[in-house]
Every structure is written in structure tokens, then in C-alpha cells.
Amino acid sequence: MRTQSFLTVLLWSSVLFVVHMTPSQKRTNKHSRSERITGLSENDGKTLHRTKRGWMWNQFFLLEEYTGPDTQYVGKLHTDQDKGDGNLKYILTGDGAGSLFIIDENTGDIHAAKKLDREEKSLYVLRAKAIDRKTGRQVEPESEFIIKIHDINDNEPKFTKDMYTASIPEMSGVGTSVIQVTATDADDANYGNSAKVVYSILQGQPYFSVDPETGIIKTALPDMSRENREQYQVVIQAKDMGGQMGGLSGTTTVNITLTDVNDNPPRFPQSSYQFSSPESAPPGTPLGRIKANDPDVGENAEIEYSISNGDGSDMFDIITDKDTQEGIITVKKHLDFENKVLYTLKVEASNTHPDPRFLQLGPFKDTAFVKISVEDIDEPPVFSRPWYLIEVDEDAKEGSIIGQVVAQDPDIAKNAIKYSVDRHTDLDRIFNIYSGNGSLFLSKPLDREETPWHNITVIATEINNPKQSSQIPVFIRILDINDHAPEFANYYETFVCENAKAGQLIQTVSAIDKDQPPRGHKFFFELVPEFAVHPNFSVVDNKDNTAGIMTRRNGYSRSKMSTYLLPIIIFDNDYPIQSSTGTLTIRVCACDSRGNMQSCSAEALLLPAGLSTGALVAILLCIIILLILVVLFTALKRQRKKEPLIISKDDVRDNIVTYNDEGGGEEDTQAFDIGTLRNPEAREESKMRRDVIPETIFQIRRTAPLWENIDVQDFIHRRLKENDSDPAAPPYDSLATYAYEGNDSIANSLSSLESLTTEGNQDYDYLSDWGPRFKKLADMYGGEDSDRD
């Protein structure tokens, strides 16, 4: 088809060539020697005037892409000076002269030596001149002419891109513009229809269409859905010659994508869901996930879940997982199987970004029902309060009940509860509890001034399942009673000047009381009855919990009495009234005229007026020498100490008995009293061994006095027999070294021999906390409280 089109154009162009090669009308004027030349050029229809020229040539037009066997004839140059005798020589210069265009120098005929392409160069400018062969002189001035290349349809339209990519929202209306494609033709747009391009669609119908003149692609079908089909491939053709048969064409591919819009509501795949939760699940525990499907993508598929109705809207919550677009059912409040077993929720899923253009399609949300069943578990006991506050008087007796805690099993079984005190919170074992009813009672006396508050923990445990237990804090406040007498607030260093006057205030005293009466402290001061009328001093109560010490006479003498003792009684105002006597020491001092103390020492009266500097230096040197001697004596004494048998404290050779001591004979008086041997009649009620520490738990043996026995040997044998038959007497003549002592036992002593409390006050509940090794003891003593109850 393309070859046939080319031949048709060539034939048509040849006809034009024949027409244009016809010689134009010549005008020869011998006088003016001018001619008018009209030719087809870029200045078509414009008249050119040349003066003093005798050139004559035809209009030159050349057809591009000539494929004939001979060279293509362009035209002929001729001047009226040429007589045809061969004396003139034609010379051609300019664009392509000699290579593209060849001139016959005798005749002036011009031929094209090569095939020309208008798209490369559409016209050529050349210059011609005629020279006399004999003289070499130009018979005509050099003249310029143009060879114009005629176009043929040898270029097909080409698109600016090999492939286009475009997108358009789904559900767009018919005629919505998608993209514009553009094709260009290299042929001459001013010559024929070779460059006139028409667009058409080869692939992509009936979904899209293209404008034949502009190349704009538009939608051809309404309501195209991305969910049904997202990608489309459209092939567009551009054809020249106005789309007529025989024109050249080119194609391009356009990939069109439908973008998403929110035209689909979320939908649950099922109408109901079933979940379960143990009643012990804490708030925030996830129970399960539900998901509503939305065929849209991106933000158009974002879903928000909520609970719109149901009897469990207060007990459960739902949150949205932004990554998976799922709704997560969570526990909002504590569940109770005994209270409610089954809950029903109505869950709603809705789009967060609805498109107003598609609201007429229906509500963009969906609902589903969620049923949640509560599972029963064995729960620990529950106390009636979150904490307990108990107030008890400071003088409460041992064994008295101070309060009660109450707990019960929340399960349907209502198992029995056993109470105990966490001994880690009551290390002194001041409080105890009846295991059956939770009544707290005292095991030891209280002292508010020492510990005003006690914070203990009570444990409630199911008897059938000891693993189920709970704890509760109990705050015990000790109420004050007036059991402490007031006393002086400080230690007062009181003095009176020798030149004091009667009625002069020498000291103000105040008092403190460890008790805390509800109405505040009120103290009274007075002298003891024996000193009610004191000749030297008096006490004046200021009625503000202070008292003033006043002088009762003029002048005091240190030489006669340097110190006075003034006993003062301090009373409080609470019930029962408590009082104490405090003695105030008053020194007699020398003062200046302003009452400032100068000296209070009585010995200062006997000393000389002063010591010389030399005497003070000598006293200081003596003191230093005495200190040096004491230090040297102490160091020598330490060096003489006998090195111990076991030096390192880390030596763990326990129970090693060393028998490497040799008695000192009669000279050794450290282990026994030799005087007793020499005087058998000596009394021994208060004699105790000096080489060991006596055990307080053993009774001192009382033996019959040996007044009549003066035989020392018999005395020794009798005493030896007594010690041999005494099971409590260890072999004191041996040295037992225990260089390592372990830590105290956390459980303290298990022996009942050293127990200071009676069996009735013992609480053996803590044995169950020591582990399986003490299970037998816990079983033996665990039932005592219940028996006592």
C-alpha cells in the first residue's frame, strides 16, 4: 500500500514538474536589458526586477526522493550573450554545487546527482555566472537563484511518546476527558494533505473514544467500576492524508487506570459473632476480632467500629485496628459470672470518609450482633471493704478484741474462709486474729508514744483451695491515754548573780508531755510542799505552760552556797492527772553591773589573780608527756596479748575441741579459788565459776555445807563426784572453739522451752508459709485456733 501511494504521489508531482518546467514569457529589451521573472518560491506571486542583466532561465523545482534510473533534470541556465558558438562557459556555485547539483558548462543544463530529502533541506540557494573562454571575462554578473524541493508523503505520523499512562476516577460520566495524545508528521503541512493527521481508536472500545482532530481520549461508557475492572489498554492510531486511503499511519498505547472512590459501604460477612471471656479478665483484655469487608481501597476503605446498642455496652468496648481495619472487642469493666452470664452487643461499622456524591446509594455502614458468654472461675475471697481502719485505746488489755474483718467467697460454692495475719507486717506479733471469724485481738500491750500507727495485712484463704487467697490492709490507730507525766522541756543551766535583787526573774521554764490530749496541753508549776515557802527562790506560774523562777532576797554569796537545788512539781490537766518533779540547779555567779555572768566557779576565789605564761607552758608540756606515756603503755600491752588459736573469722572448723592446755598446778588460781580448798568452811552460796558464763536457765545447785569436813582430799573427791553426776555441768577443763557463727534463723526458735508466752497466745498460722517441710507441724497446730473459737 505504501509503495502504491508513493507512485501515485510521484506521478502527480511529475505532472506538476512538467507544468513548472514550461519556459516563462521572455522580454528582451536591447535598450534597458531588463526582464521580469515570476516563479514559485517562498515569495510566491511577488514580482522581481533585475536591471542590466541578460540572464534567462526557467523556474527550478525538484521532486524529493527521486528513484529514476537517470539523473534528475533540474533546469537550464542561459544568457542572451550566448551565441551558441561555445565561447561562453557556465559556472555554478552555492549549496550543493558540484556534489548535489552538476551543470553542463557548455549548455547550462543542471542535473541533480543524488536523491534529495525535503525533510532534511527544503531549498537550495545557488549562484551562476558566464565567462568568456577566450578572455576569461564575465559576460554577465554573478546571479543568485533558488532550487525548491517539492514534498511527497514519505513520513508517517509519530507520537510524542511510545506509551502513555493516565488515570481517571471510577464512576465518571460519559465524555470525561482522560488524556490527550499528540502525533506529528515530518511532511510539508503547506503542501497537500501529507501532514494532515487524523486520530482513531483501534483498541479500547466501547469503554473509551478519541477526538479525531485533537487526540483527546474520553470515556464512552457511564459508571465504570474499579471493583469490576481496574486496568484498560487503549491503542490510538494517527493517520496522515486526512485519514484517506493510502495515507501513512502510526500507533501508540495508552494504559488507563480507574482510581477508587468511596462508592461501596462496609459489609459484615456474617450477621452474628460469638465470643467468651473468663470473669477474671482485667479491663483492656482483648476477646476477639471482627471485620467488615469494603471493596474500596485506601482511605475509602477505612472503617470505624462502635457499639450502638446492647446490654453489654457498659461492660465491653470495641477499638479499631488501623492496620487491619478490624474491630477488637475488649473488656471495659470487671465481669462477674454470678451476676450475669451472657451479654449481647450491637456493633456498627461505618466509613470514616464517605463521598457525598454516592450517599443516595444507601447508608455507608453495617451492623452485626456480638454475643459474649462469661466463664466461671474459682475466685479468691473478697473483703467487704477495700481497707479497714481500726482505733484502739492505748491501755487496751492483752487478748481484747479490737475489730473484725469480713471476707466471703464470691463463687456460687461459697467456700469457707480462714483468716491470718501476714507476719511480715507484724514482726513484733502484737496482733492476732481468730481464723474462723476474722476478729483481731491484742497479743501484747500497746504504746502510742512508741508507735502511734500499726499497718498490718490480713490474709483470707479458702479452706478447700489454699491457692485462692486475697489480702487487705488494716490500719490500726492507737488512741492516746494520759499515761505520761509532764517534764521539763530542756535542761536548764540557771544562775543567779551575787548582786541580784529580790523579785528578779532569773529563769523561765516550760514543760513537754509525750501524751497528746484532744484539748491540748495545760501545765501547772509549783514548788514541792517541803519547799512551799522557799527563803531564796519562788515559782510563779505564767498560766501559759511556762513558769518563772524569781529571787526572794537581795544578794547571794558563792563562798557560803555556790549551788541551790530547787524541786518543782509539774501537773497536767488531763485525766488521770499526771505529775512529775523536776529539780532545777541554780548556780551562784559573779556578774557585772549589767547582770552578765563573769564567773561561777567557787574555786576561782581561792586561785591567785593569774598564772604566768611560763607556768601555763609547763602545765601543757606535762599533759602532753602524760598522754604519750599512756599511748606507749597501751601499745605495749596490746603486743603482749596472746595470739588467739583461731585467727581468721572465716575459719569454719566448728566443734573442734582442743585439749592442748596444761594446768598451771597450784600456782594457777584462775580456774578455781585456792582459798576454798584451804578453808573448807568457807560459805559457797554465792560462789560461781569464774572461767565460764553461767547459764541463767539452770538453777544454782545448793549443797550441804561441809562445816565438819576439814579433810581437803575428801572435800575434793566429794566435789568431783558431784560434778561427774551433774548432767548440766560441761567439761570446763577443755577449750571448745567456735570460730564461726551463722546468721539468725528467719523462723526464730522452734523450742517451746524458751517461749515466754503461754500456749494459749501462740499463733501457728505462719507455719503454713514455711513450705512443705513444715506441713506436718502446720497440720498439728493449725486447728488450734478453730478449737479455741
Side-chain angles (χ1 to χ4, degrees), residues 645-767:
L645 296 176
I646 303 299
I647 299 176
S648 175
K649 293 183 179 180
D650 298 330
D651 195 339
V652 295
R653 296 176 296 173
D654 296 348
N655 302 327
I656 297 179
V657 182
T658 304
Y659 297 89
N660 56 0
D661 286 353
E662 183 178 354
E666 293 182 356
E667 298 299 329
D668 185 6
T669 61
Q670 299 297 324
F672 56 88
D673 190 359
I674 192 63
T676 304
L677 297 178
R678 294 176 180 176
N679 186 11
E681 296 180 1
R683 304 286 297 179
E684 297 187 4
E685 289 85 5
S686 61
K687 295 294 183 180
M688 301 181 67
R689 300 183 71 111
R690 294 179 293 170
D691 55 335
V692 296
I693 298 176
E695 295 290 337
T696 59
I697 62 174
F698 300 128
Q699 297 293 332
I700 300 176
R701 295 188 309 275
R702 301 292 182 177
T703 58
L706 303 177
W707 300 95
E708 70 284 354
N709 191 354
I710 60 174
D711 189 356
V712 175
Q713 183 177 3
D714 185 39
F715 172 79
I716 292 175
H717 283 300
R718 291 184 63 180
R719 284 302 177 89
L720 181 60
K721 184 178 180 181
E722 291 177 3
N723 283 274
D724 289 340
S725 60
D726 187 2
Y732 292 107
D733 57 345
S734 63
L735 176 62
T737 302
Y738 299 92
Y740 178 78
E741 181 179 358
N743 296 328
D744 293 339
S745 172
I746 299 177
N748 297 326
S749 176
L750 295 178
S751 174
S752 61
L753 298 177
E754 298 180 5
S755 177
L756 299 181
T757 59
T758 62
E759 185 178 1
N761 293 333
Q762 289 293 326
D763 182 13
Y764 299 100
D765 293 339
Y766 57 88
L767 294 176

Side-chain angles (χ1 to χ4, degrees), residues 486-545:
E487 57 188 15
F488 281 130
N490 299 300
Y491 174 74
Y492 296 100
E493 294 183 356
T494 307
F495 70 92
V496 61
C497 296
E498 288 183 305
N499 55 356
K501 303 297 182 181
Q504 182 177 341
L505 176 65
I506 61 173
Q507 182 70 57
T508 299
V509 296
S510 61
I512 58 174
D513 194 338
K514 295 180 179 179
D515 297 320
Q516 293 292 334
R519 294 173 304 201
H521 291 292
K522 182 64 177 176
F523 302 123
F524 303 95
F525 303 86
E526 63 181 32
L527 293 173
V528 298
E530 294 83 359
F531 293 85
V533 181
H534 198 280
N536 297 307
F537 303 97
S538 63
V539 176
V540 178
D541 195 335
N542 297 328
K543 308 300 181 181
D544 59 353
N545 294 337

